[in-house]
Amino acid sequence: MRVLGVESSCDETGLALYDSTQGLMAHALHSQVATHAEYGGVVPELASRDHVRRVIPLTRRVLAEANCDLASVDAVAYTRGPGLVGALMVGAGMARSLAWGLGVPALGVHHMEAHLLAPMLEPDPPAFPFVALLVSGGHTLLVQVAGIGRYHVLGETLDDAAGEAFDKTAKLLGLPYPGGPELERLARTGDAGRYRFPRPMTDRPGLDFSFSGLKTRVLQTVQQSTEADRADIAAAFQEAVVDTLVIKCRRALRETGSPRLVISGGVGANTLLRDRMAAMAEKERAAVHYPRLALCTDNGAMVAYAGWCRLCEGQHDDLDFSVTARWPLSELRPPA
């Protein structure tokens, strides 16, 4: 089965073609960073309009790179949610129209399930079961994964996601948008030991996260500091977030007895996080799996693969469809 994947949940337009025999044949991504930079964050209306401009040209590009035509597409998968409703509607409308015109099935995919399954596209994919840390600008949660659709949420953020905390702290430090990568770069030049920020909710049992208090502490520190202190504050903040994620993942591995940890989402590209997780996993005798860096952020490849996993079990949408801004991962079920 050959599946075209369409991702448009936020500010990146992603298209990809996945083949069950050949694997990932081609993928293309357009980021709207330049569009939203002057506003310091994503403007939903501008995001939707840019998806309209990009989705068809990117589809043509992917098909050309794969040396395929539309007639070779057996199904279309698209992101149904969670995400920005206007942005989701663009991808969903294009995908459903294309599928109807081709006479092939279409399926709306859960954005976080797609992230969770992204490491399956690598040459050495993780085997089920495993524990997954999904960590991005909009989500931070730990999930026990027994199979496709067999998810048990172990813990999630009670307020800000880790990626959101990175972006908001970067803004406090006067860094340009998108803030997460900029803060990581600045932190490399700082002394993480100069400031000590809290590791939220690590002094009590449980696997939930909270980053709003950490962000407030950083704000107070910034207000009492100078420009020369920014790198040290960035380094100390990054240490606090990474330590918190590592501590919670260690607990999850021990509580579940899982020998495998999957880390996916945009924050999964953070170098310090990868180094610390590798050291922790070695001590715990567990394997750590990531998607390649190009597939850590939102992309069409993960949508195509997640769609294929369910489409090949006979799951597909009816002609009527909807998108949803909020869609808890716990609501997903295994394919029938």
Side-chain angles (χ1 to χ4, degrees), residues 2-328:
R2 187 168 291 174
V3 181
L4 182 71
V6 185
E7 157 61 23
S8 67
S9 64
C10 190
D11 63 336
E12 288 165 317
T13 313
L15 272 293
L17 194 63
Y18 176 82
D19 185 275
S20 54
T21 301
Q22 301 179 56
L24 182 60
M25 300 182 69
H27 69 101
L29 185 72
H30 174 76
S31 173
Q32 300 176 11
V33 166
T35 301
H36 302 287
E38 63 179 295
Y39 304 99
V42 177
V43 181
E45 179 63 23
L46 294 181
S48 301
R49 292 179 182 181
D50 200 62
H51 286 309
V52 172
R53 288 190 289 267
R54 307 293 178 178
V55 67
I56 298 300
L58 285 176
T59 301
R60 291 174 176 153
R61 175 178 157 188
V62 163
L63 290 171
E65 290 182 3
N67 196 27
C68 296
D69 56 23
L70 281 174
S72 69
V73 174
D74 299 310
V76 184
Y78 61 94
T79 304
R80 174 179 287 147
L84 302 175
V85 169
L88 290 167
M89 285 296 296
V90 175
M94 175 271 186
R96 292 309 310 268
S97 299
L98 181 60
W100 184 84
L102 294 174
V104 300
L107 181 68
V109 169
H110 193 290
H111 183 72
M112 297 313 293
E113 179 174 62
H115 269 304
L116 187 153
L117 297 175
M120 298 296 188
L121 289 163
E122 300 308 311
D124 183 25
F128 297 116
F130 55 79
V131 167
L133 172 67
L134 303 179
V135 56
S136 66
H139 305 272
T140 302
L141 65 161
L142 276 164
V143 186
Q144 186 173 14
V145 180
I148 303 297
R150 298 170 62 194
Y151 311 133
H152 173 58
V153 177
L154 301 169
E156 56 192 326
T157 184
L158 304 180
D159 39 61
D160 291 352
E164 182 182 3
F166 263 95
D167 289 339
K168 288 181 176 178
T169 298
K171 193 170 184 178
L172 290 175
L173 294 172
L175 299 174
Y177 174 86
E182 293 293 333
L183 188 147
E184 182 182 1
R185 279 190 282 271
L186 180 62
R188 294 192 189 112
T189 67
D191 177 8
R194 186 176 169 201
Y195 296 97
R196 174 70 184 181
F197 293 132
R199 277 59 174 163
M201 299 184 71
T202 58
D203 59 348
R204 67 190 76 175
L207 294 170
D208 286 331
F209 302 90
S210 172
F211 294 104
S212 62
L214 172 60
K215 184 188 63 180
T216 300
R217 181 70 67 84
V218 172
L219 171 62
Q220 295 168 345
T221 304
V222 170
Q223 291 172 339
Q224 301 169 12
S225 65
T226 66
E227 185 79 9
D229 303 317
R230 292 193 317 157
D232 295 340
I233 294 172
F237 166 80
Q238 182 176 242
E239 286 275 348
V241 174
V242 168
D243 278 356
T244 300
L245 295 173
V246 169
I247 290 169
K248 295 289 186 171
C249 285
R250 182 189 296 117
R251 285 184 187 174
L253 290 173
R254 290 178 178 179
E255 290 184 13
T256 62
S258 174
R260 286 172 291 276
L261 174 66
V262 162
I263 300 176
S264 196
V267 181
N270 183 279
T271 302
L272 182 64
L273 177 66
R274 288 187 171 224
D275 291 344
R276 295 287 173 81
M277 285 293 185
M280 179 275 290
E282 184 176 3
K283 291 180 180 178
E284 298 296 319
R285 297 183 178 179
V288 184
H289 297 265
Y290 298 89
R292 70 198 73 168
L293 289 176
L295 303 187
C296 282
T297 56
D298 296 347
N299 62 86
M302 67 182 192
V303 175
Y305 181 79
W308 171 77
C309 288
R310 289 180 174 272
L311 284 159
C312 67
E313 296 292 335
Q315 189 173 340
H316 61 85
D317 293 337
D318 297 324
L319 281 177
D320 59 329
F321 70 97
S322 62
V323 298
T324 177
R326 298 181 182 276
W327 189 5

